[in-house]
């Protein structure tokens, strides 16, 4: 579009977190990826986009194992550039 510039981004990293429910608690960690697209407005320093962020999550704790729901992570991105 004339009012913005299209952007595509991607990367890899490591995710780490914790969980605590009445019947389970522990640590979650594993490799993550990020793939997104969006646009940066020409008039203001704001980028809007959509991200897909899969994670191969390994749960360590009272119920250890592989968490396969990590492949269904989708998000909306709003970034302000200084």
């Amino acid at each position: 579009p004339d009012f913005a510039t299209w952007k595509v981004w991607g990367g890899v990293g490591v995710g780490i977190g914790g969980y605590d429910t009445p019947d389970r608690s522990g640590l979650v960690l594993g490799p993550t990826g990020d793939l997104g697209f969006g646009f940066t407005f020409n008039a203001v320093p704001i980028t809007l986009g959509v991200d897909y962020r899969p994670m191969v999550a390994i749960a360590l704790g009272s119920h250890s194992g592989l968490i396969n729901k990590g492949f269904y992570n989708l998000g909306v991105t709003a970034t302000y550039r200084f």
Side-chain angles (χ1 to χ4, degrees):
D2 293 337
F3 63 89
T5 304
W6 288 101
K7 304 283 184 179
V8 177
W9 55 86
V12 295
V14 176
I16 186 168
Y19 63 96
D20 187 17
T21 64
D23 59 338
R24 298 178 184 188
S25 64
L27 179 72
V28 176
L29 60 95
T32 63
D34 185 52
L35 182 62
F37 70 94
F39 56 87
T40 301
F41 292 102
N42 294 330
V44 292
I46 295 175
T47 301
L48 298 177
V50 176
D51 284 275
Y52 171 59
R53 183 172 241 193
M55 178 178 184
V56 178
I58 301 166
L60 304 171
S62 58
H63 286 80
S64 298
L66 187 65
I67 301 173
N68 62 0
K69 294 180 181 174
F71 288 102
Y72 307 112
N73 296 324
L74 189 66
V76 177
T77 303
T79 307
Y80 181 84
R81 296 180 334 239
F82 290 97

